[in-house]
Amino acid sequence: MIQKAKESVQPKVLIVDDEEAICAAARRLLRSKNIDCVTASTPQEALKILKREDCWVVVSDYRMPEMSGTELLEEIKKNYPNISRLMLTGFLELPIIQEAINRASVFRFITKPWDETELLLGIETAIQHSGRKRTNSQLAHEIGVQNQKLEELTQNLESEVMKRTQGIEESRRMAESKQKLVRELTGFVKNLSRVSTIPQLYEVLYYEMTRFHGVSVPYLLTFEEHGRGRLYWMQHENLHEKHISSLPQHFGSLRLRTSSPEDRVWWESHIKKECRQLVTIPIRAREIPSSLPVALFLVEHDLDKGKLVDFLERITERLQPVSIVLDKIMLRHQLEIAAEQWEATFDGFRDPIAVVDKEEKVIRANKNFFKKDQSRCYEMFDKRTELCIDCPMPIAISSQEAASGLVRTATQKSYRVLSYPVLGSDQVRRVVNHYTDISHERDLYLKLVQSEKLAAVGLLAGNIAHELNNPLSGIRALAQLLKSETSPSSPHHADLDEVERAAIRCQQIIKNLLNFSEPSTEYDENVDINDLISITLPLLKTNLRNQNVHTYFAESIEKVKLQPSQIQQVIFNLVNNASQAMASGGVLTIKTWQEKGKVCFSIADSGPGIPPELHQRIFEPFFTTKGVGTGTGLGLSVSRSIVEKFGGQLTLESKMGLGTVFTVVLPSKPLAK
Ligand SMILES: Nc1ncnc2c1ncn2[C@@H]1O[C@H](COP(=O)(O)OP(=O)(O)OP(=O)(O)O)[C@@H](O)[C@H]1O
Ligand SMILES: [Mg+2]
C-alpha cells in the first residue's frame, strides 16, 4: 500500500522528463507563475518523489528509457488517483493517445515543444481538476469516516438494544414468575376461604404441598383436650383420620423443626414407616388465647438443602392464612359446642319455652314447645288465630317487667304462662315465654272446691234429713191409719194412698241424703261385680220395660272389696238415669271387664246424649234437667262420691244423638279406708 504523501495546501506539480533542459524550462516557467514545482528525470525518481511529497499534477514525458510515460501515469493513476495526469509528447499519434487515455486516463496531452500558455493552461486546469478530485475524495473520506462512526454507533445501539431487551426479558420473566407465585398464593387463599372443617383444611394443604417434588404425603395432627390429638392423612386419594390418645410434651413447642430425632421417632411409631427427613411445622390459631400450637404439620421429604429452603419459604408464606382459617374452624367448633349445650339445656326443660318477638313470631323454642309449621306463638301453641286469652306477653312488653297469666287451651289444658321481657337498647325486643302445665293442679283444685261444696251440702242435707224424717214418719203413719179407716171405694182412699207414697218417696230421698253425708256402717265384703249387677237389674225391671237390655260379663273377674249395697246403689242410679233418658225405648248395654289391677263396668244407653258443657255439672248435687218431682239431681253426685270412696273413678262419654256411656273403674286391690 502506497503511503499517503503529506498533504500541502499549495498545489505542487511534478515534471518528469529525461531531458534535464525540459525539466529546468518547465521549473522556471511554473515558478515564475508561483506554481510549486518539482522535477524528476526518471519514472523511478518520480515515484519516489510522490511517496514523499504531495503533488497535485504530474506532467510526464511520453518517451523515457526505462518506462514509458503511459506506464508511469498508469502506475500513478493506480496509486494516486487524485493526481491529474498530463502527457508531454513530440507527436500526437492516435494509438499513443488512445493507449494513454485507456490505461492511464491522461487528462491532457501537451505537444513538445510546448506553447507556454497552453502548458500553463493545461497545468492550471489539471490543478483545478485534481483539487476537485481531492475535495471529492476528502469528502468521500469524511463520509467514510462518518459512515464508520455511524456503523459503530449502530452497532453500539444494537448491542445496547440487545442488552436492554435482555433486561426487559429478564424482568418480564421475573414478573411472570412473581405473578405465578402470587396467583398460586391467591388460589391457595381462595381454596382456604371455602374451608370450614379440619379435613377440608387438610385437603387444601395436601394438594398445596404435593406440588413439590420430593415431598411425601403430609400428616396433619390437631390437638384436642387432655393431651389427645387427631391425625389426618391422605392414602389412595382417600382421607384417613386416627385418634391419638396421648401426645408427647414437646409437640407443644412453637418451633419449626427439621429432622428432630424425637419427632422422627414419633412419626415412625405412628405412621409405621421409615422416615427419610422430617419437617415439623407448628400452626397456631391466631385468636385462640393460648401461646401453644393447635396443630402440627409433619412432612416427610428427601429435599436437598436448597429445595428445602424454597419449600419452607413457600409453606411459611401460607401459614398466616392457615392460622386464620384454623381460628375460624375452632371458633365455629366452640360455637357449635356452646350452641349444643345451650340447646340441650333449653330442651332439657320439661316445660315448653319459647323466645317470641314483638310480632308474636317464635324465634326459638325448645322441643317441648309445640313445633308446627306456623310462625306465631299462638298458632304453634294452641292452633289459634290470635293471641291466647289472658296471655301475659302484652303486659310484659308494655311494662318491661315479667308478667304471668293463666291460659287455657282448646284441649282443656291449663298453663301458667310467665313472660320475661328481653330488653334491647331501651325497649323490649323479645319475650321469653315459659309455659307450665297446671292442668292437674287445677283439676285437683276444682275437685277440692267440689268436695268442699259436697261436704257442706252433705252436712246440710244430713241435718235437714234428720229433721224431716220424724215429721215424715208421722205423715206416713197418719196416712196409713186414715187409709185403714177409709173404704177402698172411697175417693179419699186413693188420695191417702198418694200421700203415703209421697211420704215413702220423701223418706227414700232422705235416706239417699243420709247415705251421702254419713259414713256407712256396712262392713266391706269381697264382691263379684257380675253377681252384683245380676241381682240389681231385676229391681229395675219395671223401669226397663220399654228397653232392650244386653249384658256382656267378663268370664273370670277378680273380686273387689267394697260395701255391696253402695255399689248396688250406683248401678241402680246409672241404670235408672239410662232408662229415663230412653223413656220411649232404646238399648241398654252393660259390660264388665278386667284391666291390670282394675275391675270395670259400663252402662251405656242409646238416648239423646249429654251436651259437653253439662259434662261437669251433672255431677253437682241437685243438678237435674228433669221436672219437679221427677229428679232430685242427687243420683250422679252420690254415685261418684261412693265410687271415689272405694278408690275408683266414675267417668262419662257422650255423643249427642248417639247415647251416653258411664264407666266405673274400681281398684281390684282394695284401698285401706
Ligand atoms: N244416661 C243419661 N242420659 C242423659 N242425661 C243424663 C243421663 N244420666 C244423667 N243425666 C242427666 O244428668 C242429670 C243429673 O242426674 P242425676 O242422676 O244426678 O239426677 P236426676 O236423675 O236428675 O235426679 P235423681 O237421680 O236424683 O232422681 C239428669 O237430670 C240428666 O239431665
Ligand atoms: Mg238420676
Side-chain angles (χ1 to χ4, degrees):
M1 177 83 188
I2 304 296
Q3 250 187 333
K4 196 183 168 205
K6 204 181 151 203
E7 278 195 15
S8 62
V9 185
Q10 176 73 16
K12 193 175 268 183
V13 179
L14 173 62
I15 308 289
V16 188
D17 203 313
D18 55 340
E19 285 282 335
E20 179 49 34
I22 288 185
C23 287
R27 227 173 14 244
R28 207 169 38 250
L29 176 67
L30 293 174
R31 281 181 186 158
S32 70
K33 294 294 174 195
N34 284 332
I35 296 169
D36 195 4
C37 163
V38 284
T39 55
S41 53
T42 64
Q44 279 71 28
E45 192 191 347
L47 291 171
K48 271 186 200 162
I49 289 170
L50 287 178
K51 275 186 191 171
R52 217 176 44 237
E53 294 187 45
D54 175 31
C55 296
W56 287 39
V57 177
V58 174
V59 183
S60 172
D61 185 21
Y62 171 71
R63 214 173 291 274
M64 285 182 290
E66 294 144 19
M67 192 186 234
S68 76
T70 303
E71 285 167 341
L72 173 65
L73 291 178
E74 186 182 15
E75 183 75 14
I76 290 169
K77 174 192 168 188
K78 203 159 76 189
N79 294 324
Y80 308 97
N82 288 345
I83 295 178
S84 292
R85 297 167 297 278
L86 276 76
M87 186 171 278
L88 280 172
T89 176
F91 314 97
L92 281 174
E93 290 170 8
L94 197 59
I96 293 170
I97 292 170
Q98 270 178 354
E99 191 193 12
I101 288 172
N102 289 340
R103 287 177 58 189
S105 303
V106 171
F107 176 68
R108 190 163 286 185
F109 293 89
I110 297 162
T111 50
K112 283 201 286 192
W114 61 64
D115 171 64
E116 278 188 1
T117 314
E118 187 192 357
L119 179 63
L120 282 172
L121 186 66
I123 285 174
E124 271 173 8
T125 315
I127 286 171
Q128 285 169 8
H129 181 244
S130 171
R132 274 198 301 278
K133 284 216 278 191
R134 278 161 176 270
T135 309
N136 284 347
S137 71
Q138 183 66 27
L139 280 173
H141 174 69
E142 279 172 14
I143 287 170
V145 169
Q146 292 297 335
N147 276 347
Q148 199 177 336
K149 277 187 187 164
L150 210 63
E151 186 73 15
E152 280 168 14
L153 275 175
T154 311
Q155 275 176 5
N156 284 347
L157 205 66
E158 270 174 10
S159 90
E160 193 62 25
V161 167
M162 204 123 86
K163 262 196 241 160
R164 290 274 168 91
T165 314
Q166 276 171 358
I168 290 169
E169 189 65 18
E170 186 65 17
S171 327
R172 194 178 60 82
R173 268 203 300 276
M174 275 169 62
E176 264 178 14
S177 87
K178 271 203 181 145
Q179 234 175 27
K180 192 175 160 224
L181 287 176
V182 170
R183 257 204 314 275
E184 282 173 5
L185 191 62
T186 320
F188 175 72
V189 172
K190 206 165 156 187
N191 288 341
L192 275 186
S193 66
R194 289 192 276 263
V195 160
S196 59
T197 62
I198 297 278
Q200 286 171 354
L201 172 68
Y202 172 80
E203 278 193 39
V204 172
L205 288 169
Y206 167 80
Y207 287 113
E208 191 63 19
M209 296 223 168
T210 43
R211 287 161 183 249
F212 253 82
H213 290 296
V215 172
S216 303
V217 171
Y219 285 75
L220 177 67
L221 177 67
T222 55
F223 297 178
E224 292 175 353
E225 282 175 341
H226 312 300
R228 291 193 287 261
R230 196 163 286 276
L231 195 63
Y232 299 88
W233 74 99
M234 196 73 101
Q235 201 173 3
H236 308 307
E237 293 289 309
N238 285 324
L239 181 69
H240 293 260
E241 189 180 326
K242 175 169 139 183
H243 174 72
I244 306 287
S245 57
S246 131
L247 294 174
Q249 285 263 308
H250 74 275
F251 273 8
S253 149
L254 264 174
R255 199 168 48 86
L256 186 144
R257 310 180 282 274
T258 53
S259 280
S260 143
E262 289 165 313
D263 291 352
R264 285 177 62 135
V265 169
W266 188 89
W267 196 92
E268 286 181 353
S269 71
H270 280 82
I271 284 101
K272 311 274 185 250
K273 262 201 292 182
E274 205 188 317
C275 182
R276 294 169 296 172
Q277 294 182 76
L278 190 70
V279 185
T280 316
I281 308 158
I283 309 169
R284 193 165 83 86
R286 285 153 51 91
E287 300 302 329
I288 304 293
S290 150
S291 58
L292 299 175
V294 291
L296 277 189
F297 222 26
L298 297 142
V299 189
E300 195 228 358
H301 66 93
D302 59 1
L303 300 170
D304 61 28
K305 217 170 173 184
K307 288 268 172 56
L308 180 61
V309 170
D310 284 354
F311 173 70
L312 289 179
E313 207 171 282
R314 192 186 175 98
I315 292 306
T316 334
E317 230 169 30
R318 281 152 175 74
L319 281 184
Q320 201 185 10
V322 169
S323 287
I324 294 169
V325 171
L326 212 56
D327 258 354
K328 190 175 92 178
I329 296 172
M330 299 200 62
L331 287 173
R332 196 190 168 115
H333 183 60
Q334 285 178 354
L335 217 65
E336 274 169 11
I337 292 175
E340 266 171 33
Q341 283 173 347
W342 163 240
E343 212 159 289
T345 315
F346 203 46
D347 284 343
F349 281 104
R350 197 173 41 111
D351 296 336
I353 297 174
V355 182
V356 182
D357 71 8
K358 283 165 79 178
E359 280 75 47
E360 293 108 26
K361 276 191 194 145
V362 175
I363 298 165
R364 244 189 119 85
N366 70 350
K367 69 169 185 247
N368 289 326
F369 193 80
F370 310 97
K371 280 183 192 155
K372 297 268 162 59
D373 292 336
Q374 289 91 349
S375 65
R376 311 278 165 170
C377 60
Y378 45 79
E379 291 170 341
M380 287 192 194
F381 185 67
D382 197 24
K383 295 182 187 162
R384 297 175 69 95
T385 51
E386 56 187 20
L387 211 59
C388 305
I389 300 163
D390 292 336
C391 174
M393 227 170 74
I395 302 171
I397 292 170
S398 61
S399 68
Q400 302 199 346
E401 278 177 17
S404 91
L406 195 77
V407 167
R408 250 180 113 71
T409 65
T411 52
Q412 299 303 318
K413 283 191 151 200
S414 302
Y415 284 89
R416 175 174 297 112
V417 184
L418 282 165
S419 280
Y420 301 97
V422 180
L423 288 171
S425 48
D426 59 346
Q427 51 165 318
V428 178
R429 296 209 176 275
R430 55 189 65 161
V431 169
V432 179
N433 282 345
H434 177 197
Y435 304 78
T436 312
D437 184 351
I438 55 159
S439 312
H440 185 60
E441 286 88 330
R442 197 169 161 75
D443 283 353
L444 282 179
Y445 170 75
L446 290 176
K447 272 188 186 157
L448 187 72
V449 170
Q450 183 72 357
S451 59
E452 274 173 6
K453 221 156 95 180
L454 285 177
V457 169
L459 201 66
L460 189 72
N463 290 338
I464 295 169
H466 275 296
E467 292 299 317
L468 285 179
N469 205 26
N470 291 339
L472 269 176
S473 300
I475 293 169
R476 191 176 162 189
L478 219 55
Q480 274 173 352
L481 189 72
L482 286 172
K483 210 169 74 177
S484 65
E485 290 170 0
T486 316
S487 153
S489 56
S490 155
H492 297 301
H493 194 275
D495 292 346
L496 288 169
D497 216 18
E498 193 61 38
V499 170
E500 190 192 357
R501 268 208 306 275
I504 291 169
R505 253 176 61 80
C506 288
Q507 278 188 313
Q508 185 58 45
I509 291 166
I510 285 164
K511 199 177 161 212
N512 278 349
L513 276 173
L514 288 173
N515 270 344
F516 180 69
S517 59
E518 286 175 0
S520 171
T521 51
E522 209 177 338
Y523 293 111
D524 291 354
E525 288 173 33
N526 277 328
V527 177
D528 184 315
I529 288 292
N530 289 346
D531 293 347
L532 206 61
I533 295 171
S534 300
I535 58 166
T536 312
L537 278 180
L539 302 176
L540 290 150
K541 214 170 169 182
T542 26
N543 304 41
L544 294 169
R545 58 185 177 274
N546 293 330
Q547 291 81 18
N548 291 322
V549 180
H550 299 291
T551 51
Y552 300 94
F553 291 155
E555 275 187 6
S556 67
I557 198 157
E558 271 185 82
K559 290 191 173 177
V560 192
K561 198 168 187 187
L562 39 76
Q563 291 163 347
S565 65
Q566 295 215 332
I567 295 298
Q568 245 186 316
Q569 196 184 338
V570 172
I571 298 164
F572 185 91
N573 285 341
L574 295 177
V575 174
N576 201 27
N577 280 348
S579 71
Q580 285 171 346
M582 309 183 282
S584 52
V587 181
L588 179 81
T589 312
I590 301 175
K591 284 185 193 168
T592 66
W593 69 95
Q594 170 97 47
E595 274 176 20
K596 206 178 168 195
K598 284 167 189 167
V599 165
C600 318
F601 68 91
S602 67
I603 293 162
D605 64 65
S606 57
I610 304 168
E613 63 275 14
L614 295 185
H615 285 194
Q616 292 293 328
R617 293 199 64 196
I618 55 169
F619 290 99
E620 285 176 12
F622 303 113
F623 176 82
T624 181
T625 56
K626 292 166 194 170
V628 182
T630 323
T632 60
L634 278 173
L636 284 178
S637 61
V638 167
S639 301
R640 183 174 255 186
S641 89
I642 292 171
V643 171
E644 286 180 354
K645 193 164 77 180
F646 296 110
Q649 280 178 323
L650 169 60
T651 54
L652 94 146
E653 255 181 273
S654 184
K655 282 207 175 111
M656 294 305 287
L658 291 176
T660 307
V661 185
F662 282 91
T663 305
V664 174
V665 177
L666 292 162
S668 60
K669 199 175 162 201
L671 291 178
K673 277 197 288 149

